[in-house]
């Protein structure tokens, strides 16, 4: 069976049961600031699940493109993806558990003709909020002929909300046996030869901002069937990458690398998965570009991860855009936006790949210097990451090749220290920790260092920082200076800062005593606030300043610096407001 057949069968079946086919939404949700990506078919339906009237009625069916990065570390196995297509049917306050379960069973066994003997299900087993297990769903499954030992009661069978608030509820999941041996009589959800293919969410609660579960106005059904997994199962594969959805990509990687899929399945899978996701992200109608923020950061991370795994296959030249061409060709009939945005997708990939390869080669030079001067240790290895974005995995591999074993734990301890200091992980965004709404604050902090130095160059060494207030929107900065600044002085300070941004200066830091910091020539106007040991941030040879951070890793990440206001703050103190334009 082809993917097209599967989609058509799904649509036709649910249409014959009174469902209307609706089109897929963008990968970037419109109405949910708590998530970065559309992670399920229910996303665009949230208002209707909460009780709004949907223009297409109460029974809907669709296929939705989804991105889930919380599973990124599992990509590389046979069934996990960062991008996938989800088939779904919905009842918006119409039918509930009984019909939902009956439809699912009929579709799996009569339409797809899956072997009943290989199907198992799980139901909600109760948790601290709702202690009772879902006896109704159990009853409906039993009535359809599912054996009791093939029904598992699971505490975690709860889906949603997608972000921090919204509709959610217990669920019942369907699994298919993919092992070579006969399906065991008893269902063991821990055995990954049982692959989850479909999830019926019995959506009857709304999680509020205060963490309460209130009953929804209406009882809904929200189902999600993984297209890739189901297609694999229907074709007798125990590996989604063997399906027609991935084979052209896998073949292209084989051709580019001269290696066979069987020799390093993990790298092949990661590359195929990640580049497919990247194509859909930048090809979306809300097109994403790699950056250091939000969706752009996720995109950057997956492209770079694919390039790293490309190295394992010996792919040292740009390859991502060649794969993208294959993917666009494969998917353009169902997703015409990919063809429309093809030029943009390819250009973005090429740019990002060039940037990352450049980072890698700079980091490599620095690495070699460290080895030659016998200064390679976990701390300097970590500095390689902060200054050059040089990835840990590569550092560890190279160190091993050079006969120097670095401890991953010690390196990670450095990383932890850095993270605690820069507190970049944002609360609220969904699992995976990729979102970072504090990135702008870091950029502003970094720009403030450049600005202080620039003001000293323009106005003289009497300029001393008197206070600052930095947030995601802007820099507010007070400094000692007696006169109003002229437009020329402002322009000159801006130009100096922008010049340093253009120079792409690495931002690095070292710990030292206050005395050493003074000797080193670091600025620091609030020295009394700092403990005995201080951290000094250095930006190329332009700026040295005592500071607790957090900062970006390179001035090139700042964008365009602009002073938006200059005024008096108090006697002898001026106040500047400045912004970074993207
Ligand atoms: N929202 C549920 C899921 O993502 C069903 O679509 O699994």
């Amino acid at each position: 069976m082809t993917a097209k057949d599967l989609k058509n069968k799904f649509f036709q079946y649910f249409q014959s049961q009174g469902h209307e086919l609706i089109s897929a939404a963008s990968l970037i949700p419109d109405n949910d600031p708590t998530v970065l990506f559309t992670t399920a078919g229910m996303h665009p339906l949230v208002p209707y699940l909460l009780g709004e009237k949907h223009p297409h009625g109460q029974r809907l069916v669709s296929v939705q493109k989804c991105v889930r990065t919380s599973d990124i570390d599992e990509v590389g196995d046979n069934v996990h993806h960062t991008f996938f297509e989800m088939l779904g049917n919905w009842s918006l306050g119409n039918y509930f558990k009984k019909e939902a379960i009956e439809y699912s069973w009929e579709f799996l066994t009569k339409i797809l003709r899956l072997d009943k003997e290989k199907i198992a299900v799980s139901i909600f087993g109760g948790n601290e909020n709702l202690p009772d297990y879902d006896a109704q769903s159990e009853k409906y499954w039993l009535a359809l002929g599912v054996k009791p030992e093939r029904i598992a009661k699971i505490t975690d069978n709860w889906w949603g909300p997608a972000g921090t608030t919204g509709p959610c509820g217990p669920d019942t999941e369907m699994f298919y046996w993919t092992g070579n041996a006969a399906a065991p009589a008893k269902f063991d959800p821990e055995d990954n030869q049982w692959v989850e293919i479909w999830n019926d969410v019995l959506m009857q609660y709304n999680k509020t901002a205060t963490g309460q579960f209130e009953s929804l106005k209406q009882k809904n059904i929200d189902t999600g069937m993984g297209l890739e997994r189901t297609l694999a199962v229907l074709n007798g594969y125990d590996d989604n990458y063997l399906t027609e959805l991935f084979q052209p990509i896998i073949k292209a990687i084989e051709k580019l690398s001269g290696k066979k899929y069987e020799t390093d399945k993990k790298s092949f899978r990661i590359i195929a998965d990640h580049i497919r996701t990247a194509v859909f992200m930048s090809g979306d109608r809300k097109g994403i570009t790699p950056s250091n923020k939000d969706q752009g950061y996720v995109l950057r991370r997956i492209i770079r991860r694919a390039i790293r795994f490309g190295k394992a296959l010996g792919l040292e030249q740009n390859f991502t855009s060649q794969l993208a061409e294959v993917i666009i060709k494969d998917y353009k009939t169902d997703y015409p936006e990919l063809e429309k945005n093809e030029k943009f997708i390819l250009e973005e990939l090429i740019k990002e790949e060039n940037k990352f390869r450049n980072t890698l080669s700079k980091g490599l030079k620095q690495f070699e210097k460290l080895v030659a001067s016998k200064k390679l240790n976990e701390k300097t290895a970590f500095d390689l990451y902060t200054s050059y974005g040089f990835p840990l995995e590569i550092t560890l591999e190279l160190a091993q090749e050079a006969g120097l074993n670095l401890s991953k734990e010690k390196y990670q301890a450095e990383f932890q220290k850095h993270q605690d200091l820069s507190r970049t992980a944002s609360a609220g965004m969904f699992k995976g920790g990729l979102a970072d709404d504090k990135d702008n604050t870091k950029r502003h902090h970094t720009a403030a260092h450049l600005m202080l130095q620039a003001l000293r160059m323009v106005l003289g060494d009497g300029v001393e920082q008197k206070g600052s207030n930095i947030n995601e929107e802007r820099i507010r900065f007070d400094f000692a200076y007696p006169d109003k600044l002229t437009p020329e002085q402002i322009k000159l300070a801006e130009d100096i800062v922008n010049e340093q941004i253009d120079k792409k200066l690495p931002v690095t830091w070292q710990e030292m005593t206050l005395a050493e910091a003074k000797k080193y020539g670091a600025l620091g106007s609030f020295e009394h606030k700092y403990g005995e040991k201080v951290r000094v941030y250095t930006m190329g040879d332009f700026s040295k300043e005592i500071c607790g951070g957090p900062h970006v890793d390179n001035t090139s990440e700042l964008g365009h610096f602009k002073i938006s206001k200059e005024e008096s703050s108090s006697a002898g103190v001026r106040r500047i407001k400045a912004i970074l334009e993207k």
Side-chain angles (χ1 to χ4, degrees):
M1 187 181 291
T2 64
K4 191 167 184 249
D5 294 336
L6 174 54
K7 285 182 191 175
N8 283 340
K9 279 186 198 287
F10 194 87
F11 299 155
Q12 278 159 12
Y13 173 73
F14 281 100
Q15 281 171 324
S16 75
Q17 302 294 347
H19 294 65
E20 274 205 41
L21 179 63
I22 55 167
S23 48
S26 159
L27 265 184
I28 326 268
D30 282 318
N31 302 314
D32 193 343
T34 68
V35 288
L36 292 174
F37 295 104
T38 297
T39 58
M42 53 74 69
H43 246 126
L45 298 174
V46 170
Y48 312 103
L49 293 162
L50 293 175
E52 295 275 313
K53 218 166 148 322
H54 194 284
H56 290 279
Q58 291 179 287
R59 292 177 172 228
L60 307 174
V61 59
S62 84
V63 61
Q64 175 63 47
K65 48 180 181 173
C66 302
V67 163
R68 281 189 193 173
T69 45
S70 51
D71 285 342
I72 194 163
D73 290 328
E74 301 196 51
V75 176
D77 72 2
N78 51 337
V79 289
H80 281 92
H81 305 294
T82 51
F83 170 89
F84 63 100
E85 291 177 272
M86 185 189 272
L87 292 159
N89 60 287
W90 288 273
S91 153
L92 304 171
N94 190 269
Y95 58 86
F96 199 46
K97 290 186 196 184
K98 181 170 186 289
E99 295 86 338
I101 288 173
E102 286 171 357
Y103 289 149
S104 292
W105 184 252
E106 183 166 46
F107 184 71
L108 291 178
T109 60
K110 300 234 172 74
I111 311 294
L112 297 184
R113 302 219 188 102
L114 284 174
D115 183 353
K116 287 181 191 167
E117 298 308 314
K118 291 188 177 181
I119 298 176
V121 302
S122 61
I123 57 171
F124 177 61
N127 64 20
E128 64 279 5
N129 295 326
L130 291 170
D132 292 338
Y133 87 95
D134 185 0
Q136 282 173 323
S137 292
E138 182 184 47
K139 187 175 87 189
Y140 301 134
W141 285 120
L142 288 170
L144 291 167
V146 179
K147 305 217 172 67
E149 56 280 16
R150 286 281 177 83
I151 304 178
K153 298 186 183 80
I154 299 183
T155 310
D156 282 348
N157 269 34
W158 182 278
W159 197 88
T164 43
T165 58
C168 55
D171 65 38
T172 173
E173 301 175 4
M174 288 146 267
F175 295 76
Y176 197 73
W177 177 255
T178 61
N180 289 328
K186 190 168 165 49
F187 170 42
D188 172 7
E190 297 299 315
D191 181 344
N192 56 18
Q193 294 177 91
W194 288 103
V195 171
E196 184 205 333
I197 52 173
W198 204 354
N199 182 11
D200 289 358
V201 184
L202 317 161
M203 214 164 235
Q204 44 191 319
Y205 298 98
N206 178 35
K207 189 176 179 194
T208 65
T210 52
Q212 310 295 315
F213 292 91
E214 58 186 26
S215 285
L216 285 174
K217 279 198 215 123
Q218 62 190 36
K219 287 182 176 164
N220 306 298
I221 290 297
D222 154 42
T223 90
M225 170 185 270
L227 179 82
E228 289 78 357
R229 289 178 180 193
T230 310
L231 189 65
V233 159
L234 286 168
N235 287 291
Y237 299 133
D238 60 357
D239 176 355
N240 296 358
Y241 295 86
L242 296 178
T243 65
E244 51 154 23
L245 295 173
F246 282 103
Q247 275 301 296
I249 319 174
I250 298 290
K251 292 260 152 52
I253 304 173
E254 285 186 332
K255 209 166 148 204
L256 285 165
S257 66
K259 301 235 162 73
K260 284 277 166 217
Y261 174 59
E262 288 67 31
T263 60
D264 185 352
K265 287 187 188 173
K266 185 176 172 195
S267 300
F268 270 85
R269 288 167 174 171
I270 289 175
I271 297 167
D273 172 87
H274 287 13
I275 299 303
R276 188 175 71 144
T277 307
V279 165
F280 273 91
M281 283 184 182
S282 36
D284 190 88
R285 68 179 161 80
K286 294 192 186 168
I288 304 168
T289 8
S291 74
N292 288 322
K293 201 166 146 53
D294 299 342
Q295 285 91 353
Y297 177 58
V298 179
L299 176 57
R300 167 159 288 167
R301 206 182 127 182
I302 56 161
I303 296 173
R304 293 186 171 202
R305 198 157 182 262
I307 297 169
R308 257 172 38 215
F309 279 89
K311 281 185 159 299
L313 300 181
L315 290 167
E316 296 294 346
Q317 303 299 321
N318 282 13
F319 66 90
T320 59
S321 69
Q322 278 117 298
L323 292 186
E325 285 178 38
V326 175
I327 296 163
I328 295 168
K329 193 160 150 259
D330 259 9
Y331 277 93
K332 68 183 180 194
T333 316
D334 281 0
Y335 298 95
E337 67 270 27
L338 299 185
E339 191 172 28
K340 192 167 154 234
N341 300 323
E342 175 156 13
K343 192 163 165 272
F344 176 77
I345 300 170
L346 301 182
E347 278 171 7
E348 289 302 320
L349 279 169
I350 293 169
K351 261 196 270 173
E352 185 62 16
E353 187 157 9
N354 286 341
K355 234 189 226 172
F356 187 49
R357 290 195 184 279
N358 194 10
T359 295
L360 288 177
S361 68
K362 275 199 200 138
L364 196 61
K365 278 199 201 115
Q366 189 59 22
F367 175 88
E368 280 160 2
K369 270 197 212 154
L370 288 172
V371 173
S373 57
K374 302 206 182 340
K375 283 196 184 133
L376 185 73
N377 56 39
E378 287 77 7
K379 166 100 181 48
T380 55
F382 180 68
D383 291 343
L384 269 181
Y385 167 73
T386 48
S387 315
Y388 298 91
F390 204 65
L392 163 67
E393 292 78 2
I394 299 187
T395 309
L396 292 179
E397 267 166 36
L398 290 171
Q400 210 170 14
E401 276 169 29
L404 303 162
N405 268 327
L406 293 182
S407 141
K408 196 170 169 180
E409 288 68 36
K410 277 195 200 158
Y411 180 102
Q412 271 160 349
E414 289 292 334
F415 188 69
Q416 197 54 48
K417 260 198 252 166
H418 180 77
Q419 281 214 317
D420 290 347
L421 272 158
S422 51
R423 283 183 220 294
T424 54
S426 74
M429 285 292 198
F430 76 105
K431 291 195 288 233
L434 294 174
D436 186 0
D437 59 11
K438 294 285 183 285
D439 260 346
N440 259 346
T441 313
K442 285 204 289 180
R443 293 165 67 237
H444 288 144
H445 265 290
T446 311
H449 284 220
L450 297 178
M451 180 170 77
L452 174 60
Q453 183 56 33
L455 289 171
R456 286 167 66 91
M457 287 164 75
V458 176
L459 306 172
D461 284 350
V463 169
E464 259 183 15
Q465 182 173 344
K466 286 290 175 199
S468 73
N469 176 310
I470 293 171
N471 62 28
E472 286 168 65
E473 313 291 326
R474 50 113 186 92
I475 303 162
R476 198 182 80 198
F477 190 83
D478 294 352
F479 60 100
Y481 189 69
D483 306 314
K484 182 163 181 60
L485 271 58
T486 65
E488 289 73 21
Q489 287 169 327
I490 291 179
K491 171 86 175 44
L492 192 53
E494 284 175 345
D495 287 350
I496 295 174
V497 171
N498 283 318
E499 201 181 305
Q500 303 313 313
I501 293 175
D502 288 345
K503 280 191 186 161
K504 301 185 173 34
L505 301 177
V507 179
T508 56
W509 55 263
Q510 284 167 278
E511 269 182 1
M512 47 182 95
T513 62
L514 202 54
E516 286 167 341
K518 277 194 178 146
K519 211 165 134 205
Y520 179 60
L523 298 175
S525 36
F526 303 124
E527 290 173 7
H528 58 279
K529 272 197 188 167
Y530 296 105
E532 180 53 24
K533 276 231 168 186
V534 293
R535 179 167 286 209
V536 175
Y537 276 85
T538 304
M539 302 183 192
D541 50 9
F542 181 75
S543 151
K544 295 171 189 167
E545 194 175 333
I546 299 172
C547 187
H551 298 283
V552 297
D553 299 334
N554 192 291
T555 60
S556 62
E557 292 169 40
L558 299 183
H560 187 80
F561 174 79
K562 191 164 166 38
I563 293 177
S564 49
K565 203 166 190 182
E566 192 275 335
E567 61 193 357
S568 160
S569 166
S570 57
V573 178
R574 307 296 304 173
R575 169 167 291 180
I576 275 181
K577 286 193 183 144
I579 53 169
L580 289 167
E581 297 169 331
K582 286 203 178 152

